[in-house]
Amino acid sequence: GKKMSKSRGNGIDPLDMIEKYGADASRLALLIGTTPGNDIRFYEEKVEGCRNLVNKLWNISRFVLTTTRDFSLAKGRVEMTGATLADRWILSRLNCLKRDVAKLLDEYNFSAAGELLREFTWNDFADWYLEISKVEKNKEAILLSILKDLLKLWHPFMPFVTEAIWSSFESLRTTSGGIRENLIVAEWPEVDKKLINEKVDKEFSAIVEVVTKIRNLRAEYKVEPARKIDIEIVGAKTLAENAEIIKALAKVEDLRFVEKKPEQAAGAIIGKIEIYMPLAGLIDAEKEKERLDKKKANLENYIGGLERKLSN
């Protein structure tokens, strides 16, 4: 929180940061997490965090490129015939991202643009869509299209890594002497407003919430990560079309859509959707009762303490 100066000896040499974490990570640390017009805090842990983000983009790209058999798919327009809910969702999110990032860059709001890119890359694309692509299969064209646009959007922030990944696109090599078009002179991605769909975003958000709640239930009851569980859902038959996605992402063996709450089950609620995890054979009922009784007693003591303070 103090000013860097030679007299204090507290300066951070950018060349040291580049040597240790890379030029792109050092650049990102100065661009992201800043407020225009204000002083910024610059510290090594921040550069390290940005290095992790650069690595994430590299690993995402490696997955997409190594699982692609036909690079010519990167040239054409994505065909929406037969597109699943997940496909329509990620393309809607991508086009919202292109629109918002372009606007923020025009306003010189680099930090906010970088945060949007980070959120899409790490959360929407890596944590959700890439995992879904392993379940639904045949996503090469969409994955390549997203990766191409994502590299263009990230290029002003991390020019070296994005240019290196871009060189892997064999289909981008021109016929004229095998000279490749560099990313730095590639056209900025255009927004396709037809693909932005708020209804699709809302529908897919329900799947994300359900998977997240099931994961939370697993964690709360300390179910082993590798163990598959049974789940019963009340009031959300519309999710049945995407049951395989929920089963794969939440490690569910049997997913049933029922009319009423099952006996001896742990539950979670999302609006009108009720999610239940049957506990029979999953946990020791007596030990669980002891745990909950202890938790209840601790909460009662806490509430009692608050009430005594408030009554003073």
Side-chain angles (χ1 to χ4, degrees):
K2 295 180 181 178
K3 181 181 177 181
M4 288 185 194
S5 69
K6 284 186 285 185
S7 59
R8 288 194 177 101
N10 62 349
I12 297 175
D13 191 332
L15 294 178
D16 291 341
M17 294 297 99
I18 290 170
E19 182 68 26
K20 192 171 182 179
Y21 300 109
D24 283 337
S26 304
R27 181 187 180 96
L28 267 180
L30 291 168
L31 283 168
I32 293 181
T34 65
T35 304
N38 289 355
D39 292 339
I40 66 168
R41 290 188 68 234
F42 188 70
Y43 47 101
E44 190 167 338
E45 291 80 6
K46 186 178 182 184
V47 186
E48 185 178 5
C50 290
R51 189 270 314 273
N52 295 339
L53 177 57
V54 174
N55 285 347
K56 188 73 173 180
L57 181 63
W58 181 271
N59 291 333
I60 289 169
S61 305
R62 186 171 59 181
F63 172 80
V64 173
L65 296 173
T66 55
T67 54
T68 297
R69 295 178 297 275
D70 183 6
F71 276 83
S72 66
L73 293 170
K75 290 181 179 178
R77 184 185 177 88
V78 175
E79 181 56 56
M80 295 303 293
T81 305
T84 64
L85 175 64
D87 297 335
R88 298 196 303 276
W89 169 75
I90 196 66
L91 291 172
S92 175
R93 295 286 292 166
L94 175 67
N95 280 278
C96 286
L97 178 74
K98 289 190 281 190
R99 177 196 65 197
D100 296 342
V101 166
K103 183 176 183 294
L104 289 168
L105 291 181
D106 285 341
E107 296 169 352
Y108 303 103
N109 197 341
F110 307 124
S111 178
E115 293 295 347
L116 286 182
L117 282 165
R118 185 214 298 264
E119 174 67 19
F120 177 88
T121 304
W122 203 300
N123 187 34
D124 296 346
F125 193 39
D127 288 351
W128 292 102
Y129 190 73
L130 282 187
E131 294 305 312
I132 289 170
S133 72
K134 299 172 186 177
V135 179
E136 293 185 337
K137 310 294 185 183
N138 301 319
K139 305 289 189 188
E140 289 184 3
I142 293 179
L143 288 172
L144 284 172
S145 175
I146 294 171
L147 181 58
K148 275 179 62 181
D149 284 344
L150 205 51
L151 291 175
K152 291 176 181 178
L153 293 169
W154 268 122
H155 187 64
F157 296 86
M158 49 174 95
F160 301 105
V161 166
T162 50
E163 192 73 71
I165 298 168
W166 184 263
S167 67
S168 300
F169 279 91
E170 290 298 323
S171 63
L172 295 174
R173 295 185 180 277
T174 65
T175 54
S176 152
I179 300 172
R180 176 175 52 83
E181 178 194 51
N182 289 327
L183 177 55
I184 196 170
V185 292
E187 289 186 8
W188 189 255
E190 293 184 4
V191 178
D192 189 343
K193 293 181 180 179
K194 294 178 182 177
L195 294 178
I196 297 176
N197 191 322
E198 291 183 8
K199 183 182 177 183
V200 165
D201 289 349
K202 189 175 180 180
E203 288 176 8
F204 190 82
S205 293
I207 296 174
V208 171
E209 288 188 77
V210 167
V211 171
T212 302
K213 287 291 186 183
I214 295 173
R215 288 173 176 173
N216 291 343
L217 284 173
R218 293 179 63 103
E220 184 180 348
Y221 287 88
K222 296 178 174 57
V223 179
E224 300 90 339
R227 182 172 181 176
K228 291 199 170 184
I229 59 173
D230 293 341
I231 290 290
E232 297 186 14
I233 297 179
V234 178
K237 290 184 178 179
T238 53
L239 294 175
E241 294 177 10
N242 295 282
E244 291 305 314
I245 291 176
I246 296 172
K247 288 169 69 174
L249 297 183
K251 292 187 178 177
V252 173
E253 182 72 37
D254 185 17
L255 179 63
R256 297 184 293 274
F257 294 88
V258 297
E259 298 296 331
K260 60 180 182 178
K261 173 187 174 181
E263 297 294 325
Q264 291 188 331
I269 297 175
I270 307 168
K272 296 181 180 179
I273 301 173
E274 300 174 25
I275 304 164
Y276 295 101
M277 180 176 70
L279 299 176
L282 198 61
I283 63 167
D284 185 319
E286 285 301 315
K287 285 185 177 179
E288 183 59 22
K289 185 177 184 301
E290 288 178 17
R291 184 184 76 83
L292 291 174
D293 284 341
K294 187 177 179 181
K295 184 177 180 181
K296 179 184 176 184
N298 288 336
L299 287 171
E300 286 174 343
N301 288 336
Y302 179 64
I303 291 169
L306 290 177
E307 286 176 342
R308 286 192 294 274
K309 287 179 182 179
L310 289 169
S311 64
N312 185 349

